Amino acid sequence: MHNSLDPRQRTQSNMAYLRSILRSGKNAVPAVLRREFHRTLQAAMQVTVRDAIKEAMDEELERDERVFLLGEEVALFEGAYKVTRGLWKKYGDKRIIDTPIAEIGFTGIAVGAAMAGLRPVVEYMSFNFSMQSVDHIINSAAKTYYMSGGLQPVSIVFRGPNGAAPGVAAQHAQCFAAWYGHVPGLKVVSPWSAEDAKGLLKSAIRDDNPVVFLENEIMYGVPFEMSEESQSKDFLIPIGKAKIERKGNHVTLVSHSHVVSRCMDAAAVLAKDGIECEVINLRTIRPMDMEAIETSVLKTKHLITVEGGWPQFGVGGEILARIMEGPGFGYLNAPAVRVTGVDIPMPYAKLLEENTLPQIKDIVFSVKKMLNV
Amino acid sequence: MRKMLTIISNVLRGSASRNGARLVVSARTYADFTPQASFDIKNCDVHKLEEGPPLQAVLTREEGLQYYRTMQTIRRMELKADQLYKQKIIRGFCHLYDGQEACAVGIEAGIKRSDHLITAYRAHGYTYTRGGTVREIMAELTGRRGGIAKGKGGSMHMYTKHFYGGNGIVGAQVPLGAGVALACKYLGKNELCVCLYGDGAANQGQIFETYNMASLWKLPCIFICENNQYGMGTSVERAAASTDYYKRGDFIPGLRVDGMDVLCVREATKFAAEHCKSGKGPILMELLTYRYHGHSMSDPGVSYRTREEIQEVRSKSDPITLLKDRMLSNNMVSVEELKEIDVEVRKEIEDAAQFATTDPEPPLEELCNHIFYNEPPMKVRGISPWIKLKSVS
């Protein structure tokens, strides 16, 4: 590792290396690589989604005095999932606020602060806990600009892990994309990659409207290559634009969040059989980029939406309805279908849990069924 | 000499009114009226405080006239709203404030315009004291384009500068208000936020969460419980295990105030504001008050209380009468002067009602506007897939 250092420095540095492995668990390699690359910079680098989110918040906190963070364990504990590590040390009590376990209370306080001109970023330890505060997100934040006839804007971001996480069982594994996606006055973002996370969170914080930012715990530790461009402090990804992660001609797979990984894996498997999937990463749930989906369907003539959430009244349901109502319908060679989580509360046992969420084999099966191969 | 001046002025006034001109009564001011007087006000019960607000309040003639005019305006505005509602020109929810005027006026007298205030849905009075005009308030009630929220909000969603509504969800306004207070502290502005709620809302969990955080972080907010004895149709004894609302902040100091006496409310508010601004954190005030109307226009207000009770409050504790009697008995104002104000107020309300009933409704083209702030124009899906509506910020 650091052979140029003297023995004491080398020991210290190796201890730090060891600590970083222990701390980051199975994602030790990217963490260590980052420490190395930190000095050379400028080239594309590997960044975990967690670090990308933190970088976004760090840069926006620095850029605008009015931005501040609040949530449970975000300061001293450095974040329940360590997303906010280092921020409290850098910015202090005023800007990184630990709250008591009082979701409806602190969400209301955050929305009030936004009404008075600050730009809060509220962290939910999990979006499942946001159900306590949903009244404030919708009635106090989303609807206010409209109800006031344009007098009272609310610039606020609600962020945290959403959807499935391994072994957390029913009360901690629900996907809220469809719930929040239902509401006019809200923007709902669901990033997949590290670049997504960084660029979209920066855009969300700079947006003058309420934004629900749905992260995913499974993705936190996953490293992605971040282009040089994305390392800039002004790197923004526009809210409302999807991204084609993989080009293909035979079928369009539309997905968001961690399930995009599954789609990419399934696409690799199908490619061996000569089936080329076009994988669209939605990036934003509301406003949804139907144009990107329609353009793709025009080419592939086949559409499958893939999500982790429940089927009834879900994101896939909305996409299919819009395809029916729009030009996309005319292009389809087969009815569009949805691949979703099973319509049950999330079970705990590993075998059951695995069979509740779309796996690679499920996506492959659905594609082949649709294409009749 | 004095008597002669009085006679001359009376004559002048008489002739002036016949001509329709408004005679400025300054001819009498310096000569006849007491410029200011000191009044005994009720003692406030205190909780976790060494002492309460002073037991005496000084009222100047100007202040008295202003409080009278403001309370009378609110009273008449609410009664006019009652009328318009019965004529079905105002629809939906309409929660009237008559009887509680001393609260809104007293609080405003105790804070600065640059301070902040938030309340629940019984908000017309506060919209007025916080700078809204009767015209735009009434036009909002009737849902017209000249309304304070362009007709988009209605009775419960009116906003002005440093006034955050008008909130429909019971109790939600309390954490919002604490958030405004957080912003005041964060931005170092030496401003505070008044967070109002009713006796019904006082049992909401989020209020206790807010008490905790406001106290922990020493937020400059004054929590004010307007206890009008009834949460919709439920009397306080039937809803609360403890009706000592001023004590329910527990670790937050509190005081219980006579909410029918505008001077009492003012002095208590000043006391509370000082507490807040000196960095001591939040404080709680309970205002004992009464609403003459039912909970809303759909509630006659007599199934859970007696007409005798309402009548008794009206005759013994009406806030406007209380102020009027004080001023008259101390020769601070004349009966004619007050009558003149009444006439002016009536006219203002009539004009506003006229505007509110004739102003057109908001244009249909603006249906989808104001979804987002600072956003380029976008399309919104209409009722059927073939309809795409335009939305601008």
Side-chain angles (χ1 to χ4, degrees):
Chain A
M1 291 244 42
H2 304 266
N3 298 312
S4 51
L5 301 169
D6 76 52
R8 195 165 34 110
Q9 277 180 310
R10 209 183 305 152
T11 314
Q12 273 178 352
S13 154
N14 286 339
M15 283 313 294
Y17 165 43
L18 205 64
R19 251 180 276 129
S20 82
I21 292 189
L22 290 168
R23 211 183 291 145
S24 40
K26 60 177 154 66
N27 299 309
V29 169
V32 163
L33 281 174
R34 261 202 86 208
R35 285 180 66 231
E36 289 297 319
F37 281 124
H38 191 60
R39 281 172 213 104
T40 47
L41 219 49
Q42 280 341 304
M45 47 192 274
Q46 292 274 314
V47 179
T48 61
V49 172
R50 170 187 287 116
D51 287 335
I53 294 172
K54 190 190 71 178
E55 257 170 47
M57 289 195 284
D58 192 354
E59 288 170 9
E60 295 306 301
L61 280 159
E62 196 175 68
R63 175 181 177 270
D64 189 340
E65 270 290 304
R66 300 167 298 168
V67 176
F68 71 101
L69 262 54
L70 73 165
E72 294 155 16
E73 311 299 349
V74 295
L76 207 70
F77 194 79
E78 301 199 302
Y81 295 101
K82 304 302 177 205
V83 178
T84 52
R85 173 181 286 142
L87 292 178
W88 176 67
K89 285 213 178 83
K90 183 171 176 185
Y91 293 101
D93 282 330
K94 179 181 170 183
R95 306 198 57 206
I96 315 289
I97 304 178
D98 269 339
T99 62
I101 306 172
E103 272 77 8
I104 184 172
F106 71 67
T107 306
I109 285 179
V111 175
M115 287 180 175
L118 296 184
R119 305 185 75 92
V121 176
V122 182
E123 175 172 308
Y124 292 112
M125 202 179 281
S126 145
F127 261 97
N128 298 279
F129 309 152
S130 75
M131 280 202 281
Q132 302 246 320
S133 344
V134 87
D135 178 60
H136 280 297
I137 298 175
I138 296 178
N139 280 322
S140 305
K143 297 179 184 171
T144 296
Y145 191 62
Y146 186 86
M147 287 193 302
S148 65
L151 290 174
Q152 180 64 71
V154 182
S155 311
I156 190 167
V157 175
F158 305 100
R159 51 158 289 271
N162 172 62
V168 295
Q171 288 180 344
H172 290 74
Q174 188 174 333
C175 176
F176 290 86
W179 281 33
Y180 291 120
H182 192 54
V183 183
L186 272 188
K187 297 191 185 179
V188 181
V189 175
S190 184
W192 169 60
S193 65
E195 254 191 47
D196 284 355
K198 183 165 180 201
L200 287 169
L201 185 54
K202 285 168 77 74
S203 292
I205 294 174
R206 293 189 197 191
D207 200 304
D208 290 327
N209 297 286
V211 182
V212 170
F213 193 83
L214 304 170
E215 300 159 10
N216 187 269
E217 201 249 308
I218 298 171
M219 295 308 295
Y220 278 154
V222 178
F224 286 84
E225 197 162 284
M226 295 261 293
S227 66
E228 205 176 306
E229 187 213 346
S230 68
Q231 292 164 48
S232 138
K233 286 192 176 169
D234 280 308
F235 171 67
L236 300 173
I237 292 180
I239 293 177
K241 288 272 170 274
K243 183 179 178 206
I244 316 259
E245 298 290 350
R246 184 190 194 283
K247 282 200 175 312
N249 288 319
H250 300 130
V251 62
T252 301
L253 299 177
V254 182
S255 188
H256 72 100
S257 193
H258 64 110
V259 189
V260 176
S261 301
R262 290 278 189 277
C263 291
M264 296 295 275
D265 294 339
V269 170
L270 286 160
K272 296 202 189 101
D273 288 333
I275 301 172
E276 296 299 328
C277 303
E278 181 142 291
V279 179
I280 299 183
N281 169 10
L282 270 178
R283 283 177 159 180
T284 304
I285 305 291
R286 185 180 182 110
M288 194 146 38
D289 189 354
M290 275 316 288
E291 212 180 289
I293 301 175
E294 274 161 4
T295 308
S296 179
V297 168
L298 168 66
K299 184 174 62 168
T300 66
K301 320 243 186 288
H302 296 86
L303 173 64
I304 300 180
T305 64
V306 192
E307 64 193 293
W310 290 321
Q312 204 158 319
F313 305 105
V315 175
E318 176 65 16
I319 294 174
L320 262 54
R322 290 205 205 180
I323 288 287
M324 283 284 279
E325 289 180 344
F329 177 71
Y331 305 134
L332 291 172
N333 279 353
V337 301
R338 306 164 291 169
V339 168
T340 69
V342 176
D343 203 7
I344 54 173
M346 181 67 69
Y348 168 65
K350 191 149 192 270
L351 175 70
L352 300 183
E353 187 186 76
E354 274 167 6
N355 281 278
T356 306
L357 290 166
Q359 304 297 337
I360 299 170
K361 61 173 170 62
D362 299 306
I363 303 171
V364 170
F365 166 81
S366 304
V367 170
K368 287 188 168 169
K369 196 108 169 104
M370 176 175 276
L371 295 177
N372 244 323
V373 297
Chain B
M1 180 59 179
R2 228 180 214 217
K3 220 175 175 178
M4 201 167 71
L5 271 173
T6 315
I7 296 168
I8 293 172
S9 314
N10 275 337
V11 169
L12 283 169
R13 289 195 76 198
S15 62
S17 350
R18 258 180 269 123
N19 293 337
R22 186 153 61 105
L23 179 71
V24 175
V25 292
S26 56
R28 290 191 66 188
T29 315
Y30 54 82
D32 269 346
F33 293 125
T34 319
Q36 66 178 48
S38 185
F39 295 97
D40 288 331
I41 52 177
K42 275 208 192 114
N43 180 42
C44 296
D45 294 325
V46 295
H47 168 73
K48 299 233 161 103
L49 282 166
E50 293 290 307
E51 45 161 26
L55 296 172
Q56 287 212 319
V58 172
L59 178 72
T60 69
R61 200 182 109 86
E62 283 71 38
E63 283 169 348
L65 287 169
Q66 191 237 310
Y67 300 161
Y68 181 83
R69 182 185 287 270
T70 312
M71 289 201 283
Q72 193 68 291
T73 305
I74 297 175
R75 174 69 58 91
R76 298 247 73 91
M77 179 175 73
E78 297 294 79
L79 294 178
K80 178 54 83 174
D82 170 281
Q83 226 176 54
L84 292 174
Y85 194 93
K86 287 175 175 145
Q87 293 174 299
K88 300 201 200 287
I89 300 173
I90 297 177
R91 311 171 311 126
F93 292 125
C94 192
H95 308 86
L96 298 178
Y97 199 64
D98 52 315
Q100 300 185 214
E101 295 87 356
C103 297
V105 175
I107 290 171
E108 192 62 35
I111 60 173
K112 296 200 176 70
R113 190 48 79 86
S114 57
D115 288 322
H116 307 255
L117 191 142
I118 190 170
T119 185
Y121 45 76
R122 202 174 300 279
H124 311 156
Y126 289 100
T127 315
Y128 181 68
T129 54
R130 286 260 99 195
T133 64
V134 183
R135 246 165 99 95
E136 51 191 6
I137 293 172
M138 300 215 77
E140 186 60 35
L141 290 174
T142 55
R144 307 302 164 102
R145 61 181 71 181
I148 202 167
K150 302 192 180 65
K152 293 272 201 64
S155 167
M156 300 183 290
H157 308 296
M158 303 194 194
Y159 300 77
T160 70
K161 190 159 192 277
H162 290 206
F163 174 60
Y164 304 86
N167 286 277
I169 307 296
V170 172
Q173 75 278 11
V174 178
L176 292 179
V180 172
L182 180 100
C184 290
K185 185 171 181 188
Y186 189 102
L187 296 166
K189 280 180 174 175
N190 198 31
E191 290 163 4
L192 55 78
C193 185
V194 176
C195 312
L196 289 137
Y197 56 96
D199 50 278
N203 301 312
Q204 273 262 313
Q206 57 186 315
I207 292 188
F208 292 90
E209 293 190 11
T210 309
Y211 288 157
N212 182 38
M213 283 182 271
S215 212
L216 205 57
W217 300 333
K218 291 215 166 10
L219 300 181
C221 43
I222 306 178
F223 295 112
I224 301 189
C225 177
E226 280 181 293
N227 180 1
N228 60 18
Q229 309 302 316
Y230 299 94
M232 199 152 146
T234 307
S235 67
V236 291
E237 309 82 50
R238 291 178 61 232
S242 160
T243 55
D244 290 332
Y245 296 103
Y246 70 109
K247 288 186 183 167
R248 291 183 65 185
D250 189 11
F251 35 77
I252 297 182
L255 42 146
R256 174 180 268 164
V257 181
D258 178 3
M260 302 307 264
D261 178 354
V262 68
L263 291 179
C264 219
V265 177
R266 184 188 76 182
E267 292 309 307
T269 307
K270 278 190 181 154
F271 176 86
E274 239 233 61
H275 182 275
C276 266
K277 286 195 175 169
S278 64
K280 296 200 186 109
I283 186 168
L284 209 160
M285 270 167 59
E286 178 188 342
L287 302 178
L288 291 171
T289 183
Y290 200 84
R291 53 164 162 82
Y292 295 142
H293 269 85
H295 163 72
S296 72
M297 286 305 298
S298 350
D299 169 27
V302 286
S303 59
Y304 48 86
R305 53 186 193 172
T306 61
R307 285 184 212 275
E308 288 76 42
E309 180 188 288
I310 305 171
Q311 200 33 51
E312 186 169 348
V313 177
R314 230 189 250 281
S315 55
K316 296 210 181 110
S317 322
D318 183 272
I320 300 178
T321 311
L322 223 66
L323 177 66
K324 182 170 165 183
D325 289 345
R326 267 185 173 147
M327 290 186 74
L328 286 173
S329 59
N330 280 271
N331 197 31
M332 294 179 80
V333 77
S334 73
V335 175
E336 293 80 24
E337 206 174 352
L338 293 180
K339 279 214 173 76
E340 206 174 280
I341 294 179
D342 290 349
V343 166
E344 280 162 19
V345 166
R346 229 177 268 263
K347 181 162 193 317
E348 188 184 353
I349 306 298
E350 277 309 317
D351 285 347
Q354 177 65 10
F355 173 70
T357 46
T358 54
D359 197 36
E361 288 188 273
L364 216 47
E365 300 78 59
E366 292 179 16
L367 176 70
C368 298
N369 288 356
H370 310 122
I371 297 284
F372 292 129
Y373 177 55
N374 256 350
E375 187 89 352
M378 60 185 203
K379 288 266 179 275
V380 171
R381 191 206 137 98
I383 301 225
S384 65
W386 301 279
I387 300 173
K388 295 268 181 283
L389 302 168
K390 186 151 180 254
S391 170
V392 297
S393 245

